Amino acid sequence: MAEAAITLLVERGMRGLTHRAVDEAAGLPLGSTSNLARTRAALLALTLARLTALEEGYFTAIPQSSGGADASVGGVSASIGDLSSDRGAAASGREAGASGGGVGGPGELADLMAGLLHRQLTDGRRTTLARYELALEATRRPELREVYDQAGRRFREVAIAVLAAAGSRDPDRHGKQLVAFGEGVLFDAIAGAGAVPTLEELRSGMRELLRGMLS
């Protein structure tokens, strides 16, 4: 149902997302979606939960350690699954970065972040566009705003912890700026007036940003 809802958002926009349309798009008996998500707010929350899960899947591009609990970013270890609640991981990473404990430089980290952005603009373009539809709707629905903001905080915590591990002296501010930079690039390419940047262009921009943060 959530996959069908995402497709409807991309193809028809928010007005095209109805319980009946989801049933038809998913090939389900009429009333199936209403049984699971009785209100429109519940349907939107269901769709956003699926979008968040898909976007979190982009982090599978980060090589896993042997224990499977950590994601290595050029030697930077940050627990992807627990970052939203465990700020101790960020503090530990910051100490490692300050001591030069095998943390990759801005160029290596920029390559990873550029790759994640590039995937959201190519293979993940569908989910990115659907998320923008929900983001605008969230400005008019407080209940959806709460769910949307909660999902967004998880990604910001990841950025903060990764930059802490890379040696940032102000990881909270830099992490939020990194997310804002990425969101700006995505919006400009998908919904704005800009063109879709190449992977190399994304790498160049990320390197300039991260060098300024980590120098």
Side-chain angles (χ1 to χ4, degrees):
M1 290 179 186
E3 284 291 337
I6 292 171
T7 298
L8 288 168
L9 280 176
V10 173
E11 294 180 351
R12 306 182 190 178
M14 191 60 64
R15 290 185 178 181
L17 179 59
T18 65
H19 289 78
R20 184 184 183 91
V22 172
D23 287 339
E24 293 174 349
L28 297 170
L30 292 180
S32 297
T33 303
S34 295
N35 287 334
L36 179 64
R38 294 191 176 278
T39 65
R40 181 167 179 80
L43 176 59
L44 294 176
L46 175 72
T47 308
L48 180 57
R50 176 59 179 161
L51 283 172
T52 301
L54 289 171
E55 293 191 323
E56 284 180 338
Y58 297 152
F59 287 103
T60 59
I62 303 175
Q64 295 296 305
S65 67
S66 58
D70 291 338
S72 295
V73 184
V76 179
S77 293
S79 172
I80 297 300
D82 298 328
L83 286 177
S84 61
S85 60
D86 187 4
R87 296 304 297 277
S92 174
R94 184 159 51 244
E95 292 172 2
S99 63
V103 175
E108 193 170 1
L109 185 55
D111 287 349
L112 173 68
M113 295 302 165
L116 292 174
L117 282 178
H118 190 258
R119 184 171 180 186
Q120 287 179 280
L121 289 170
T122 53
D123 296 343
R125 185 182 186 280
R126 169 177 170 269
T127 58
T128 305
L129 182 56
R131 180 163 59 84
Y132 286 149
E133 290 282 354
L134 288 174
L136 291 174
E137 186 68 11
T139 64
R140 298 180 285 270
R141 290 179 175 269
E143 69 280 6
L144 182 61
R145 178 85 269 167
E146 182 178 354
V147 177
Y148 191 92
D149 289 349
Q150 182 178 0
R153 278 193 293 271
R154 295 159 70 179
F155 292 100
R156 282 169 173 76
E157 291 291 345
V158 170
I160 289 168
V162 167
L163 283 170
S168 166
R169 295 184 181 276
D170 193 349
D172 282 2
R173 181 168 61 87
H174 287 160
K176 292 172 184 177
Q177 288 177 338
L178 178 62
V179 172
F181 175 84
E183 288 287 358
V185 169
L186 293 175
F187 187 89
D188 184 56
I190 290 180
V196 176
T198 65
L199 180 57
E200 187 51 45
E201 288 172 336
L202 291 170
R203 284 172 177 161
S204 177
M206 272 292 177
R207 285 169 186 162
E208 291 174 352
L209 179 70
L210 289 171
R211 284 194 186 106
M213 291 178 176
L214 301 176
S215 62

mmCIF file of all heavy atoms in Angstrom, residues 109-110 113-115 117-118 120-121 131-132 156 159 163 173-189 197-210 213:
data_model
loop_
_atom_site.group_PDB
_atom_site.id
_atom_site.type_symbol
_atom_site.label_atom_id
_atom_site.label_comp_id
_atom_site.label_asym_id
_atom_site.label_seq_id
_atom_site.Cartn_x
_atom_site.Cartn_y
_atom_site.Cartn_z
ATOM 1 N N LEU A 109 35.452 11.460 2.816
ATOM 2 C CA LEU A 109 34.101 11.629 3.333
ATOM 3 C C LEU A 109 33.203 12.297 2.288
ATOM 4 O O LEU A 109 32.033 11.942 2.133
ATOM 5 C CB LEU A 109 34.152 12.474 4.606
ATOM 6 C CG LEU A 109 32.834 12.670 5.368
ATOM 7 C CD1 LEU A 109 32.197 11.337 5.711
ATOM 8 C CD2 LEU A 109 33.078 13.486 6.623
ATOM 9 N N ALA A 110 33.760 13.245 1.541
ATOM 10 C CA ALA A 110 32.995 13.927 0.491
ATOM 11 C C ALA A 110 32.564 12.948 -0.591
ATOM 12 O O ALA A 110 31.445 13.036 -1.107
ATOM 13 C CB ALA A 110 33.833 15.048 -0.123
ATOM 14 N N MET A 113 29.479 11.074 0.772
ATOM 15 C CA MET A 113 28.283 11.905 0.822
ATOM 16 C C MET A 113 27.782 12.247 -0.580
ATOM 17 O O MET A 113 26.579 12.286 -0.832
ATOM 18 C CB MET A 113 28.571 13.192 1.609
ATOM 19 C CG MET A 113 28.893 12.954 3.077
ATOM 20 S SD MET A 113 27.547 12.078 3.917
ATOM 21 C CE MET A 113 28.378 11.556 5.419
ATOM 22 N N ALA A 114 28.707 12.489 -1.500
ATOM 23 C CA ALA A 114 28.315 12.776 -2.877
ATOM 24 C C ALA A 114 27.621 11.570 -3.494
ATOM 25 O O ALA A 114 26.649 11.705 -4.240
ATOM 26 C CB ALA A 114 29.539 13.166 -3.696
ATOM 27 N N GLY A 115 28.122 10.378 -3.173
ATOM 28 C CA GLY A 115 27.490 9.166 -3.688
ATOM 29 C C GLY A 115 26.073 8.998 -3.181
ATOM 30 O O GLY A 115 25.172 8.588 -3.925
ATOM 31 N N LEU A 117 24.028 11.458 -2.248
ATOM 32 C CA LEU A 117 23.210 12.461 -2.936
ATOM 33 C C LEU A 117 22.905 12.028 -4.371
ATOM 34 O O LEU A 117 21.778 12.175 -4.850
ATOM 35 C CB LEU A 117 23.922 13.813 -2.946
ATOM 36 C CG LEU A 117 23.898 14.638 -1.664
ATOM 37 C CD1 LEU A 117 24.691 15.918 -1.861
ATOM 38 C CD2 LEU A 117 22.475 14.951 -1.231
ATOM 39 N N HIS A 118 23.929 11.513 -5.042
ATOM 40 C CA HIS A 118 23.746 11.092 -6.428
ATOM 41 C C HIS A 118 22.699 9.991 -6.533
ATOM 42 O O HIS A 118 21.891 9.971 -7.464
ATOM 43 C CB HIS A 118 25.079 10.615 -6.997
ATOM 44 C CG HIS A 118 25.053 10.381 -8.474
ATOM 45 N ND1 HIS A 118 24.969 9.124 -9.028
ATOM 46 C CD2 HIS A 118 25.068 11.248 -9.520
ATOM 47 C CE1 HIS A 118 24.950 9.229 -10.344
ATOM 48 N NE2 HIS A 118 25.012 10.497 -10.673
ATOM 49 N N GLN A 120 20.157 9.575 -4.531
ATOM 50 C CA GLN A 120 18.846 10.181 -4.318
ATOM 51 C C GLN A 120 18.354 10.937 -5.553
ATOM 52 O O GLN A 120 17.152 11.138 -5.725
ATOM 53 C CB GLN A 120 18.893 11.119 -3.114
ATOM 54 C CG GLN A 120 18.965 10.389 -1.778
ATOM 55 C CD GLN A 120 19.029 11.339 -0.614
ATOM 56 O OE1 GLN A 120 20.087 11.877 -0.294
ATOM 57 N NE2 GLN A 120 17.900 11.578 0.023
ATOM 58 N N LEU A 121 19.276 11.354 -6.392
ATOM 59 C CA LEU A 121 18.904 12.068 -7.610
ATOM 60 C C LEU A 121 18.674 11.133 -8.801
ATOM 61 O O LEU A 121 18.138 11.563 -9.818
ATOM 62 C CB LEU A 121 19.999 13.073 -7.986
ATOM 63 C CG LEU A 121 20.114 14.300 -7.081
ATOM 64 C CD1 LEU A 121 21.380 15.083 -7.407
ATOM 65 C CD2 LEU A 121 18.879 15.181 -7.225
ATOM 66 N N ARG A 131 8.845 12.617 -1.086
ATOM 67 C CA ARG A 131 9.092 13.234 0.222
ATOM 68 C C ARG A 131 8.838 14.736 0.172
ATOM 69 O O ARG A 131 8.322 15.326 1.135
ATOM 70 C CB ARG A 131 10.526 12.954 0.671
ATOM 71 C CG ARG A 131 10.863 13.560 2.032
ATOM 72 C CD ARG A 131 12.109 12.946 2.627
ATOM 73 N NE ARG A 131 13.264 13.121 1.772
ATOM 74 C CZ ARG A 131 14.023 14.222 1.756
ATOM 75 N NH1 ARG A 131 13.722 15.244 2.524
ATOM 76 N NH2 ARG A 131 15.083 14.292 0.969
ATOM 77 N N TYR A 132 9.172 15.379 -0.943
ATOM 78 C CA TYR A 132 8.890 16.801 -1.056
ATOM 79 C C TYR A 132 7.388 17.077 -1.055
ATOM 80 O O TYR A 132 6.921 18.071 -0.495
ATOM 81 C CB TYR A 132 9.531 17.365 -2.327
ATOM 82 C CG TYR A 132 11.027 17.516 -2.228
ATOM 83 C CD1 TYR A 132 11.833 17.384 -3.349
ATOM 84 C CD2 TYR A 132 11.644 17.799 -1.015
ATOM 85 C CE1 TYR A 132 13.217 17.508 -3.261
ATOM 86 C CE2 TYR A 132 13.015 17.933 -0.924
ATOM 87 C CZ TYR A 132 13.790 17.779 -2.047
ATOM 88 O OH TYR A 132 15.152 17.902 -1.953
ATOM 89 N N ARG A 156 19.751 13.889 10.685
ATOM 90 C CA ARG A 156 20.641 14.922 11.195
ATOM 91 C C ARG A 156 21.588 14.368 12.255
ATOM 92 O O ARG A 156 22.753 14.763 12.324
ATOM 93 C CB ARG A 156 19.820 16.088 11.754
ATOM 94 C CG ARG A 156 19.264 16.990 10.654
ATOM 95 C CD ARG A 156 18.236 17.991 11.157
ATOM 96 N NE ARG A 156 17.877 18.921 10.106
ATOM 97 C CZ ARG A 156 17.081 18.636 9.077
ATOM 98 N NH1 ARG A 156 16.562 17.419 8.965
ATOM 99 N NH2 ARG A 156 16.809 19.538 8.156
ATOM 100 N N ALA A 159 24.464 12.747 10.500
ATOM 101 C CA ALA A 159 25.422 13.722 9.977
ATOM 102 C C ALA A 159 26.271 14.311 11.096
ATOM 103 O O ALA A 159 27.483 14.487 10.948
ATOM 104 C CB ALA A 159 24.673 14.838 9.238
ATOM 105 N N LEU A 163 30.423 13.774 11.398
ATOM 106 C CA LEU A 163 31.340 14.910 11.415
ATOM 107 C C LEU A 163 32.102 14.990 12.737
ATOM 108 O O LEU A 163 33.256 15.413 12.774
ATOM 109 C CB LEU A 163 30.581 16.206 11.145
ATOM 110 C CG LEU A 163 30.234 16.404 9.665
ATOM 111 C CD1 LEU A 163 29.275 17.564 9.474
ATOM 112 C CD2 LEU A 163 31.492 16.632 8.842
ATOM 113 N N ARG A 173 26.574 22.065 14.702
ATOM 114 C CA ARG A 173 26.346 23.091 13.670
ATOM 115 C C ARG A 173 26.738 22.566 12.293
ATOM 116 O O ARG A 173 25.999 22.737 11.325
ATOM 117 C CB ARG A 173 27.142 24.356 14.008
ATOM 118 C CG ARG A 173 26.966 25.496 13.008
ATOM 119 C CD ARG A 173 27.548 26.783 13.559
ATOM 120 N NE ARG A 173 28.975 26.668 13.822
ATOM 121 C CZ ARG A 173 29.915 26.907 12.906
ATOM 122 N NH1 ARG A 173 29.568 27.245 11.666
ATOM 123 N NH2 ARG A 173 31.199 26.803 13.216
ATOM 124 N N HIS A 174 27.885 21.910 12.207
ATOM 125 C CA HIS A 174 28.355 21.418 10.922
ATOM 126 C C HIS A 174 27.456 20.305 10.379
ATOM 127 O O HIS A 174 27.217 20.224 9.170
ATOM 128 C CB HIS A 174 29.793 20.918 11.043
ATOM 129 C CG HIS A 174 30.787 22.018 11.191
ATOM 130 N ND1 HIS A 174 32.048 21.819 11.710
ATOM 131 C CD2 HIS A 174 30.700 23.351 10.888
ATOM 132 C CE1 HIS A 174 32.706 22.978 11.715
ATOM 133 N NE2 HIS A 174 31.913 23.909 11.220
ATOM 134 N N GLY A 175 26.963 19.443 11.263
ATOM 135 C CA GLY A 175 26.071 18.374 10.816
ATOM 136 C C GLY A 175 24.794 18.927 10.213
ATOM 137 O O GLY A 175 24.324 18.462 9.163
ATOM 138 N N LYS A 176 24.229 19.933 10.856
ATOM 139 C CA LYS A 176 23.005 20.553 10.336
ATOM 140 C C LYS A 176 23.270 21.277 9.022
ATOM 141 O O LYS A 176 22.434 21.271 8.107
ATOM 142 C CB LYS A 176 22.431 21.511 11.384
ATOM 143 C CG LYS A 176 21.902 20.787 12.622
ATOM 144 C CD LYS A 176 21.526 21.758 13.730
ATOM 145 C CE LYS A 176 21.091 21.004 14.986
ATOM 146 N NZ LYS A 176 20.791 21.918 16.116
ATOM 147 N N GLN A 177 24.444 21.896 8.917
ATOM 148 C CA GLN A 177 24.793 22.577 7.668
ATOM 149 C C GLN A 177 24.994 21.576 6.529
ATOM 150 O O GLN A 177 24.626 21.855 5.385
ATOM 151 C CB GLN A 177 26.066 23.408 7.863
ATOM 152 C CG GLN A 177 25.865 24.648 8.717
ATOM 153 C CD GLN A 177 27.146 25.406 8.946
ATOM 154 O OE1 GLN A 177 28.248 24.856 8.841
ATOM 155 N NE2 GLN A 177 27.026 26.690 9.274
ATOM 156 N N LEU A 178 25.558 20.427 6.854
ATOM 157 C CA LEU A 178 25.757 19.397 5.832
ATOM 158 C C LEU A 178 24.423 18.909 5.288
ATOM 159 O O LEU A 178 24.247 18.757 4.074
ATOM 160 C CB LEU A 178 26.553 18.227 6.424
ATOM 161 C CG LEU A 178 26.809 17.036 5.492
ATOM 162 C CD1 LEU A 178 27.638 17.465 4.289
ATOM 163 C CD2 LEU A 178 27.519 15.915 6.255
ATOM 164 N N VAL A 179 23.467 18.678 6.182
ATOM 165 C CA VAL A 179 22.135 18.251 5.750
ATOM 166 C C VAL A 179 21.467 19.343 4.922
ATOM 167 O O VAL A 179 20.860 19.068 3.882
ATOM 168 C CB VAL A 179 21.259 17.887 6.966
ATOM 169 C CG1 VAL A 179 19.819 17.634 6.538
ATOM 170 C CG2 VAL A 179 21.811 16.649 7.666
ATOM 171 N N ALA A 180 21.592 20.596 5.368
ATOM 172 C CA ALA A 180 20.987 21.708 4.634
ATOM 173 C C ALA A 180 21.590 21.829 3.232
ATOM 174 O O ALA A 180 20.870 22.090 2.258
ATOM 175 C CB ALA A 180 21.177 23.014 5.408
ATOM 176 N N PHE A 181 22.898 21.643 3.129
ATOM 177 C CA PHE A 181 23.553 21.687 1.823
ATOM 178 C C PHE A 181 22.992 20.587 0.917
ATOM 179 O O PHE A 181 22.643 20.839 -0.242
ATOM 180 C CB PHE A 181 25.064 21.505 1.997
ATOM 181 C CG PHE A 181 25.827 21.427 0.701
ATOM 182 C CD1 PHE A 181 26.222 22.577 0.045
ATOM 183 C CD2 PHE A 181 26.146 20.199 0.136
ATOM 184 C CE1 PHE A 181 26.926 22.507 -1.161
ATOM 185 C CE2 PHE A 181 26.844 20.116 -1.060
ATOM 186 C CZ PHE A 181 27.236 21.279 -1.707
ATOM 187 N N GLY A 182 22.910 19.366 1.449
ATOM 188 C CA GLY A 182 22.395 18.262 0.653
ATOM 189 C C GLY A 182 20.958 18.469 0.219
ATOM 190 O O GLY A 182 20.596 18.220 -0.934
ATOM 191 N N GLU A 183 20.130 18.955 1.146
ATOM 192 C CA GLU A 183 18.726 19.204 0.813
ATOM 193 C C GLU A 183 18.609 20.284 -0.261
ATOM 194 O O GLU A 183 17.752 20.195 -1.147
ATOM 195 C CB GLU A 183 17.948 19.616 2.069
ATOM 196 C CG GLU A 183 17.716 18.495 3.058
ATOM 197 C CD GLU A 183 16.678 17.502 2.580
ATOM 198 O OE1 GLU A 183 16.103 17.687 1.492
ATOM 199 O OE2 GLU A 183 16.431 16.528 3.313
ATOM 200 N N GLY A 184 19.461 21.294 -0.170
ATOM 201 C CA GLY A 184 19.427 22.346 -1.173
ATOM 202 C C GLY A 184 19.786 21.836 -2.558
ATOM 203 O O GLY A 184 19.146 22.189 -3.556
ATOM 204 N N VAL A 185 20.804 20.986 -2.619
ATOM 205 C CA VAL A 185 21.210 20.398 -3.903
ATOM 206 C C VAL A 185 20.082 19.558 -4.480
ATOM 207 O O VAL A 185 19.754 19.650 -5.676
ATOM 208 C CB VAL A 185 22.477 19.537 -3.710
ATOM 209 C CG1 VAL A 185 22.756 18.717 -4.968
ATOM 210 C CG2 VAL A 185 23.681 20.418 -3.386
ATOM 211 N N LEU A 186 19.459 18.730 -3.630
ATOM 212 C CA LEU A 186 18.382 17.849 -4.106
ATOM 213 C C LEU A 186 17.187 18.652 -4.609
ATOM 214 O O LEU A 186 16.639 18.377 -5.682
ATOM 215 C CB LEU A 186 17.943 16.906 -2.981
ATOM 216 C CG LEU A 186 18.963 15.868 -2.516
ATOM 217 C CD1 LEU A 186 18.412 15.091 -1.321
ATOM 218 C CD2 LEU A 186 19.320 14.913 -3.642
ATOM 219 N N PHE A 187 16.772 19.650 -3.833
ATOM 220 C CA PHE A 187 15.601 20.434 -4.232
ATOM 221 C C PHE A 187 15.870 21.205 -5.516
ATOM 222 O O PHE A 187 15.014 21.264 -6.410
ATOM 223 C CB PHE A 187 15.199 21.399 -3.118
ATOM 224 C CG PHE A 187 13.904 22.106 -3.394
ATOM 225 C CD1 PHE A 187 12.694 21.549 -3.001
ATOM 226 C CD2 PHE A 187 13.881 23.325 -4.052
ATOM 227 C CE1 PHE A 187 11.495 22.191 -3.263
ATOM 228 C CE2 PHE A 187 12.693 23.979 -4.325
ATOM 229 C CZ PHE A 187 11.486 23.401 -3.932
ATOM 230 N N ASP A 188 17.056 21.789 -5.616
ATOM 231 C CA ASP A 188 17.394 22.563 -6.809
ATOM 232 C C ASP A 188 17.362 21.688 -8.057
ATOM 233 O O ASP A 188 16.895 22.123 -9.115
ATOM 234 C CB ASP A 188 18.780 23.181 -6.638
ATOM 235 C CG ASP A 188 19.159 24.091 -7.800
ATOM 236 O OD1 ASP A 188 18.396 25.038 -8.080
ATOM 237 O OD2 ASP A 188 20.198 23.850 -8.431
ATOM 238 N N ALA A 189 17.821 20.445 -7.934
ATOM 239 C CA ALA A 189 17.892 19.562 -9.094
ATOM 240 C C ALA A 189 16.548 18.935 -9.443
ATOM 241 O O ALA A 189 16.257 18.698 -10.614
ATOM 242 C CB ALA A 189 18.910 18.454 -8.826
ATOM 243 N N PRO A 197 23.181 17.642 -11.078
ATOM 244 C CA PRO A 197 24.644 17.655 -11.124
ATOM 245 C C PRO A 197 25.211 16.259 -11.358
ATOM 246 O O PRO A 197 24.586 15.252 -11.024
ATOM 247 C CB PRO A 197 25.029 18.168 -9.731
ATOM 248 C CG PRO A 197 23.881 17.788 -8.859
ATOM 249 C CD PRO A 197 22.665 17.867 -9.727
ATOM 250 N N THR A 198 26.386 16.207 -11.935
ATOM 251 C CA THR A 198 27.067 14.938 -12.118
ATOM 252 C C THR A 198 27.663 14.495 -10.785
ATOM 253 O O THR A 198 27.777 15.288 -9.840
ATOM 254 C CB THR A 198 28.191 15.056 -13.153
ATOM 255 O OG1 THR A 198 29.203 15.945 -12.628
ATOM 256 C CG2 THR A 198 27.665 15.598 -14.477
ATOM 257 N N LEU A 199 28.082 13.243 -10.728
ATOM 258 C CA LEU A 199 28.706 12.735 -9.514
ATOM 259 C C LEU A 199 29.973 13.523 -9.203
ATOM 260 O O LEU A 199 30.247 13.851 -8.041
ATOM 261 C CB LEU A 199 29.021 11.245 -9.672
ATOM 262 C CG LEU A 199 29.685 10.558 -8.476
ATOM 263 C CD1 LEU A 199 28.842 10.701 -7.216
ATOM 264 C CD2 LEU A 199 29.921 9.081 -8.794
ATOM 265 N N GLU A 200 30.733 13.859 -10.211
ATOM 266 C CA GLU A 200 31.965 14.614 -9.987
ATOM 267 C C GLU A 200 31.672 16.023 -9.488
ATOM 268 O O GLU A 200 32.397 16.562 -8.640
ATOM 269 C CB GLU A 200 32.797 14.673 -11.269
ATOM 270 C CG GLU A 200 34.182 15.296 -11.078
ATOM 271 C CD GLU A 200 34.959 14.670 -9.921
ATOM 272 O OE1 GLU A 200 34.967 13.418 -9.813
ATOM 273 O OE2 GLU A 200 35.533 15.438 -9.120
ATOM 274 N N GLU A 201 30.619 16.648 -9.996
ATOM 275 C CA GLU A 201 30.232 17.972 -9.507
ATOM 276 C C GLU A 201 29.814 17.910 -8.044
ATOM 277 O O GLU A 201 30.119 18.811 -7.249
ATOM 278 C CB GLU A 201 29.106 18.535 -10.364
ATOM 279 C CG GLU A 201 29.556 18.970 -11.758
ATOM 280 C CD GLU A 201 28.402 19.337 -12.663
ATOM 281 O OE1 GLU A 201 27.268 18.861 -12.432
ATOM 282 O OE2 GLU A 201 28.632 20.115 -13.627
ATOM 283 N N LEU A 202 29.100 16.852 -7.675
ATOM 284 C CA LEU A 202 28.705 16.677 -6.283
ATOM 285 C C LEU A 202 29.924 16.465 -5.392
ATOM 286 O O LEU A 202 30.007 17.006 -4.291
ATOM 287 C CB LEU A 202 27.748 15.484 -6.151
ATOM 288 C CG LEU A 202 26.359 15.666 -6.759
ATOM 289 C CD1 LEU A 202 25.599 14.344 -6.771
ATOM 290 C CD2 LEU A 202 25.561 16.717 -5.984
ATOM 291 N N ARG A 203 30.871 15.684 -5.879
ATOM 292 C CA ARG A 203 32.096 15.456 -5.108
ATOM 293 C C ARG A 203 32.847 16.762 -4.890
ATOM 294 O O ARG A 203 33.337 17.047 -3.800
ATOM 295 C CB ARG A 203 32.994 14.465 -5.848
ATOM 296 C CG ARG A 203 32.539 13.013 -5.748
ATOM 297 C CD ARG A 203 33.371 12.136 -6.654
ATOM 298 N NE ARG A 203 33.011 10.725 -6.526
ATOM 299 C CZ ARG A 203 33.304 9.803 -7.421
ATOM 300 N NH1 ARG A 203 33.958 10.138 -8.531
ATOM 301 N NH2 ARG A 203 32.955 8.546 -7.221
ATOM 302 N N SER A 204 32.956 17.564 -5.934
ATOM 303 C CA SER A 204 33.680 18.831 -5.844
ATOM 304 C C SER A 204 33.031 19.754 -4.814
ATOM 305 O O SER A 204 33.718 20.348 -3.968
ATOM 306 C CB SER A 204 33.712 19.507 -7.216
ATOM 307 O OG SER A 204 34.356 20.762 -7.144
ATOM 308 N N GLY A 205 31.712 19.866 -4.871
ATOM 309 C CA GLY A 205 31.004 20.721 -3.927
ATOM 310 C C GLY A 205 31.137 20.227 -2.495
ATOM 311 O O GLY A 205 31.343 21.024 -1.558
ATOM 312 N N MET A 206 31.033 18.921 -2.311
ATOM 313 C CA MET A 206 31.159 18.341 -0.976
ATOM 314 C C MET A 206 32.572 18.525 -0.418
ATOM 315 O O MET A 206 32.751 18.780 0.771
ATOM 316 C CB MET A 206 30.808 16.857 -1.009
ATOM 317 C CG MET A 206 29.337 16.554 -0.821
ATOM 318 S SD MET A 206 28.813 16.947 0.861
ATOM 319 C CE MET A 206 27.059 16.590 0.741
ATOM 320 N N ARG A 207 33.569 18.381 -1.266
ATOM 321 C CA ARG A 207 34.949 18.547 -0.812
ATOM 322 C C ARG A 207 35.190 19.978 -0.327
ATOM 323 O O ARG A 207 35.831 20.200 0.702
ATOM 324 C CB ARG A 207 35.924 18.201 -1.944
ATOM 325 C CG ARG A 207 36.044 16.709 -2.208
ATOM 326 C CD ARG A 207 36.789 16.441 -3.490
ATOM 327 N NE ARG A 207 36.797 15.014 -3.823
ATOM 328 C CZ ARG A 207 37.070 14.522 -5.018
ATOM 329 N NH1 ARG A 207 37.352 15.347 -6.015
ATOM 330 N NH2 ARG A 207 37.055 13.225 -5.228
ATOM 331 N N GLU A 208 34.681 20.949 -1.070
ATOM 332 C CA GLU A 208 34.851 22.343 -0.676
ATOM 333 C C GLU A 208 34.159 22.606 0.662
ATOM 334 O O GLU A 208 34.711 23.280 1.543
ATOM 335 C CB GLU A 208 34.285 23.260 -1.753
ATOM 336 C CG GLU A 208 35.086 23.260 -3.044
ATOM 337 C CD GLU A 208 34.425 24.070 -4.142
ATOM 338 O OE1 GLU A 208 33.258 24.501 -3.937
ATOM 339 O OE2 GLU A 208 35.044 24.281 -5.190
ATOM 340 N N LEU A 209 32.948 22.065 0.822
ATOM 341 C CA LEU A 209 32.196 22.264 2.064
ATOM 342 C C LEU A 209 32.910 21.627 3.250
ATOM 343 O O LEU A 209 33.107 22.260 4.294
ATOM 344 C CB LEU A 209 30.792 21.665 1.911
ATOM 345 C CG LEU A 209 29.882 21.767 3.139
ATOM 346 C CD1 LEU A 209 29.465 23.211 3.378
ATOM 347 C CD2 LEU A 209 28.640 20.897 2.963
ATOM 348 N N LEU A 210 33.326 20.378 3.094
ATOM 349 C CA LEU A 210 33.924 19.646 4.207
ATOM 350 C C LEU A 210 35.321 20.162 4.546
ATOM 351 O O LEU A 210 35.724 20.151 5.720
ATOM 352 C CB LEU A 210 33.961 18.163 3.889
ATOM 353 C CG LEU A 210 32.585 17.501 3.894
ATOM 354 C CD1 LEU A 210 32.673 16.067 3.357
ATOM 355 C CD2 LEU A 210 31.978 17.493 5.289
ATOM 356 N N MET A 213 34.820 22.951 6.849
ATOM 357 C CA MET A 213 34.385 22.536 8.180
ATOM 358 C C MET A 213 35.498 21.887 8.988
ATOM 359 O O MET A 213 35.598 22.059 10.195
ATOM 360 C CB MET A 213 33.221 21.544 8.060
ATOM 361 C CG MET A 213 31.923 22.118 7.550
ATOM 362 S SD MET A 213 30.662 20.825 7.409
ATOM 363 C CE MET A 213 29.238 21.812 6.899
#
